[in-house]
Amino acid sequence: MPTVQLFVTCLVDTFYPETGEAIVSIFNRLGFEVAFPADQTCCGQPAFNAGLRAKARPMAEHTIRVFETAPGDVIVPSGSCAHMLKHGYPELFRDDPDWQPRAEALAARTYEFTQYLVDVLGVTDLGARWDGLLAYHPSCHLLRGLGIDRQPRALLAHVHGATLIDLPHREECCGFGGVFSVEHPELSAEFLKRKIANLELTESPTLVVADTGCRMHIAGGLHRQKKPQRVVHIAEVLARF
């Protein structure tokens, strides 16, 4: 049985463990064993994006060490963290003769979750079922950083019983942006208001995301505005029958 390694991310591990459980269920169904290196921690992306590269480096070095001893492709249920491992690490260790090749080796076997299913395994229909409307929000790192959009949409198009509704201005940021929401809270709040207003235009009760930061941010806004819509990670949709 082939093995993949799950880099679960901080937000999934802390706030949405059901996303990790859904991913394990999906890969088990596809005949894979899912390993979870217990020593994994933050990839260092928040510090890296804030320009604190000296603080990001120890976390990146630790992540590389952990996964060097874990054979198999590395699956990440987050566009932002996948982008960090695939592009941030090679940039962080550029011109370092010891660490750059190690960073590039990890980057070469790292895949965002939907990318791996569609582009590597060639799977778009997992037999999932979700009755009703679904709207999809593409996160910024996933869409612009990794160029991944066709893959999650193809997977959702094959969910039995579901109707995928286009989210107006779907490519606009939700306002989370990691440290952006902390450094520019007023702008972040305005982006979020627009995203929620566009979700309401779809009349979909469910917004699907592939990045937990967006999920937490949008769900928080819906809760504060006392809106009935829910936000779910795409893995939790694909794991339902």
Side-chain angles (χ1 to χ4, degrees), residues 73-92:
D73 293 329
V74 179
I75 309 303
V76 188
S78 162
S80 57
C81 297
H83 184 272
M84 181 63 182
L85 268 63
K86 290 188 72 65
H87 300 291
Y89 281 14
E91 181 180 340
L92 183 62

Side-chain angles (χ1 to χ4, degrees), residues 100-122:
Q100 185 177 12
R102 297 169 73 175
E104 290 178 347
L106 177 58
R109 63 188 184 101
T110 296
Y111 299 88
E112 185 271 333
F113 168 65
T114 66
Q115 175 194 33
Y116 195 77
L117 290 178
V118 176
D119 293 348
V120 178
L121 301 184

